[in-house]
């Protein structure tokens, strides 16, 4: 089927189901399929996060704990740029299938690792696959759904996190305690088959091929590919330097910054880092919100296990309610009646995120009940649901069809790069203040002697979230 025929078919289906939604007859299989892909990624994120403290301790890699997270985001940067190029020129189908395959392969590598660096390599392969997948999914949404349905499908993506956020930590904790952390990684690839079987025929029908008839023969933009390699290598060097707290580490750190800065300026919309109105501020907000939240969330289970003596299951469960409230926030932004107030909702969302992050380290005081973290994180996730889905909706609204891949890649690059940089910064502060030695204690012998290491993670990230609240005032061009 040609791109024109695919577009005509989508128009006919839309006319037939004009009053329907994302689960109407014309869109049902596609919606269920791509939401299932999101479900797979969500289950990985929630389950792996719970098992990570045990894996890092068993592999003697607590000092590299932040790198195990940021390694994923580092390689995803290259995958995102490649996926944007691939999707704009040849359609999102190839990028999506390759990404899912790489994602599953990375889980196998991590699950069979005998050392921390091999484990990080597996996470890096996962990240490359995840980068391919997430941008391709955005292009599918931009091509296959009319604008009126995009807020709803983005809300469905958020809803796809609900079951994993509840079941994932519990299942992962139980598997980790009774079978071992490796089975958390090795069991997830089996979930790949269903979304592929359901989604790929519909994607081939509705969104395959380039936007126009000539783009498919165009080669990839080699300059952007080089910039993508530079941004990935630079981010990796920066993260390595942050984890190796010696003067000699300044050399890879400076080299990473020298690669990273010009690559970022070349790949993100002009004016992003000065919060220029419109698309640049949308892209910036995505990075600020996701980076501050993920950098803080990555240390929540570790803090609860090592400082309050919780089991991995209970520590992971402290984040479980967040999936439901994130989906609720995303559902709220999808209502047509709130569209005139979207920017105000996003401002409120960032304030909630900042409040949740600043509240979390209060449990370092042992008289504070640990359930405070669960409550705070539920409110923070509601704010993230308002913000993240809205940035996706605004990006597609501001993007021409032939630029959807490149702009979606820019949005995801901002997201992942912010995660890498902020995880590097928080990881360095955590290690410098003795976090590695604190984390090395077992759950049952936690002495809580290094609370400053955790405070150095959460408090600065709350400040970053407040910056995001200001950026929400610059999303619409005057």
């Amino acid at each position: 089927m040609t791109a024109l025929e695919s577009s005509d078919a989508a128009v006919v289906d839309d006319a037939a189901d004009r009053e329907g939604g994302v689960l109407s007859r014309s869109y049902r299989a596609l919606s269920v399929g791509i939401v299932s892909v999101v479900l797979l990624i969500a289950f990985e994120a929630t389950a792996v996060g719970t098992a990570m403290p045990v894996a890092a301790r068993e592999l003697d890699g607590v000092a590299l704990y932040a790198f195990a997270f940021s390694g994923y985001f580092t390689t995803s940067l290259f995958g995102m740029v490649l996926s944007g190029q691939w999707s704009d020129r040849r359609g999102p189908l190839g990028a999506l299938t390759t990404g899912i395959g790489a994602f599953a392969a990375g889980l196998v590598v991590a699950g069979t690792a005998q050392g921390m660096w091999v484990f990080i390599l597996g996470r890096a392969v996962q990240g490359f696959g995840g980068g391919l997948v997430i941008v391709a999914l955005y292009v599918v949404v931009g091509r296959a759904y009319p604008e009126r349905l995009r807020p709803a499908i983005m809300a469905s993506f958020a809803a796809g996190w609900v079951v994993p956020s509840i079941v994932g930590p519990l299942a992962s904790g139980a598997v980790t305690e009774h079978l071992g952390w490796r089975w958390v990684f090795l069991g997830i690839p089996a979930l790949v088959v269903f979304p592929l079987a359901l989604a790929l025929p519909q994607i081939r029908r509705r969104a395959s091929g380039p936007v126009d008839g000539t783009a498919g023969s165009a080669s990839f933009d080699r300059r952007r590919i080089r910039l993508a390699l530079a941004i990935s290598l630079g981010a990796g060097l920066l993260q390595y330097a942050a984890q190796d707290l010696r003067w000699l580490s300044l050399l890879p750190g400076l080299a990473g910054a020298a690669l990273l800065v010009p690559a970022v300026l070349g790949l993100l919309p002009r004016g992003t880092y000065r919060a220029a109105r419109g698309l640049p501020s949308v892209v910036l907000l995505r990075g600020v919100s996701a980076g501050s939240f993920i950098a803080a969330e990555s240390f929540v289970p570790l803090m609860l296990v090592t400082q309050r003596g919780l089991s991995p299951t209970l520590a992971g469960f402290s984040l479980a309610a967040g999936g439901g409230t994130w989906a609720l926030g995303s559902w709220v932004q999808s209502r047509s009646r709130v569209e005139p107030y979207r920017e105000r909702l996003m401002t409120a969302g960032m304030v909630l995120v900042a409040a949740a992050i600043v509240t979390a380290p209060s449990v370092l005081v042992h008289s504070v009940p640990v359930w405070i973290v669960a409550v705070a994180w539920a409110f923070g996730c509601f704010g993230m649901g308002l913000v993240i889905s809205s940035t996706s909706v605004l990006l597609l609204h501001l993007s021409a069809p032939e630029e959807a891949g490149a702009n979606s890649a820019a949005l995801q690059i901002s997201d992942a790069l912010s995660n890498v940089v902020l995880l590097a910064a928080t990881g360095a502060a955590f290690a410098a203040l003795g976090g590695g030695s604190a984390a090395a204690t077992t759950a049952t012998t936690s002495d809580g002697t290094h609370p400053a290491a955790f405070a150095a993670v959460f408090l600065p990230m709350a400040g970053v979230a407040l910056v995001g609240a200001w950026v929400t005032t610059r999303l619409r061009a005057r």
Side-chain angles (χ1 to χ4, degrees):
M1 178 179 288
T2 67
L4 182 59
E5 289 169 338
S6 177
S7 175
D8 288 344
V11 170
V12 170
D13 284 341
D14 184 45
D17 272 6
R18 191 170 299 277
E19 298 303 322
V22 295
L23 291 179
S24 62
R25 178 178 54 83
S26 295
Y27 294 102
R28 187 180 302 123
L30 176 62
S31 298
V32 172
I34 62 176
V35 170
S36 297
V37 174
V38 174
L39 191 74
L40 168 67
I41 296 173
F43 192 83
E44 181 273 343
T46 56
V48 167
T50 303
M52 195 76 77
V54 178
R57 197 148 49 200
E58 183 176 314
L59 296 174
D60 250 353
V62 171
L64 298 172
Y65 183 80
F67 209 7
F69 284 97
S70 63
Y72 180 101
F73 298 117
T74 299
T75 52
S76 70
L77 292 167
F78 179 72
M80 290 167 187
V81 177
L82 180 62
S83 185
Q85 295 267 303
W86 196 341
S87 298
D88 281 343
R89 284 161 172 75
R90 301 173 187 176
L93 187 60
L96 185 63
T97 54
T98 303
I100 291 177
F103 189 83
L107 285 166
V108 173
V109 172
T112 56
Q114 299 301 312
M116 192 62 177
W117 283 112
V118 176
F119 180 83
I120 291 169
L121 174 64
R123 294 285 291 163
V125 175
Q126 280 183 256
F128 175 71
L132 289 173
V133 168
I134 192 65
V135 172
L137 284 178
Y138 273 58
V139 175
V140 169
V141 170
R143 292 193 189 184
Y145 293 89
E147 188 168 356
R148 66 182 178 84
L149 292 182
R150 290 173 191 166
I153 193 63
M154 291 301 175
S156 299
F157 282 2
W161 283 78
V162 175
V163 173
S165 67
I166 297 172
V167 176
L170 292 173
S172 175
V175 169
T176 298
E177 291 179 26
H178 299 292
L179 298 178
W181 63 267
R182 296 182 185 278
W183 288 104
V184 174
F185 291 84
L186 297 176
I188 294 175
L191 301 175
V192 169
V193 177
F194 174 74
L196 281 176
L198 193 60
L200 294 189
Q202 288 294 317
I203 295 172
R204 185 178 293 109
R205 175 171 175 251
R206 292 176 174 273
S208 63
V211 174
D212 58 72
T214 61
S217 60
S219 60
F220 287 6
D221 185 336
R222 294 182 180 180
R223 175 179 172 274
R224 290 186 68 84
I225 297 299
R226 288 195 298 269
L227 290 175
L229 287 170
I231 201 174
S232 295
L233 180 58
L237 288 171
L238 194 65
Q239 178 66 30
Y240 176 81
Q243 294 298 303
D244 188 14
L245 298 179
R246 298 179 297 171
W247 286 108
L248 193 60
S249 299
L250 286 175
L251 294 178
L254 291 173
L259 288 169
L260 198 61
V261 172
V264 169
L265 293 176
L267 289 171
L268 299 186
R270 187 182 299 274
T272 296
Y273 284 100
R274 57 181 174 83
R277 290 190 174 277
L279 183 63
S281 284
V282 173
V283 172
L284 177 60
L285 178 62
R286 181 58 165 260
V288 169
S289 58
S292 59
F293 190 79
I294 295 299
E297 185 178 61
S298 298
F299 285 86
V300 169
L302 189 66
M303 178 175 66
L304 294 176
V305 168
T306 62
Q307 302 299 298
R308 295 301 297 265
L310 269 66
S311 68
T313 302
L314 289 177
F317 191 64
S318 68
L319 306 177
T325 57
W326 190 310
L328 178 61
S330 189
W331 177 83
V332 169
Q333 67 79 37
S334 73
R335 302 296 90 189
S336 58
R337 70 187 67 176
V338 306
E339 181 61 33
Y341 312 103
R342 184 176 296 278
E343 287 77 14
R344 294 181 186 178
L345 285 175
M346 296 171 78
T347 303
M350 288 309 304
V351 171
L352 286 174
V353 170
I357 295 173
V358 81
T359 300
S362 65
V363 299
L364 293 169
V365 178
H366 280 241
S367 60
V368 175
V370 293
W371 54 259
I372 289 294
V373 171
V375 174
W377 227 247
F379 279 99
C381 286
F382 178 78
M384 287 294 286
L386 293 174
V387 173
I388 295 297
S389 295
S390 289
T391 58
S392 303
V393 171
L394 289 175
L395 178 108
L396 292 174
H397 175 73
L398 295 170
S399 299
E402 66 275 10
E403 297 174 344
N407 288 343
S408 296
L411 189 77
Q412 298 302 325
I413 287 169
S414 179
D415 187 319
L417 182 61
S418 180
N419 283 319
V420 170
V421 171
L422 294 179
L423 276 167
T426 55
F430 181 74
L433 292 173
S437 60
T441 61
T442 65
T444 58
T445 62
S446 170
D447 56 15
T449 57
H450 297 275
F454 290 97
V457 169
F458 291 99
L459 300 183
M461 291 306 99
V464 173
L466 288 177
V467 172
W470 171 76
V471 176
T472 61
T473 65
R474 302 183 60 81
L475 299 178
R476 295 279 191 184
R478 290 190 184 278

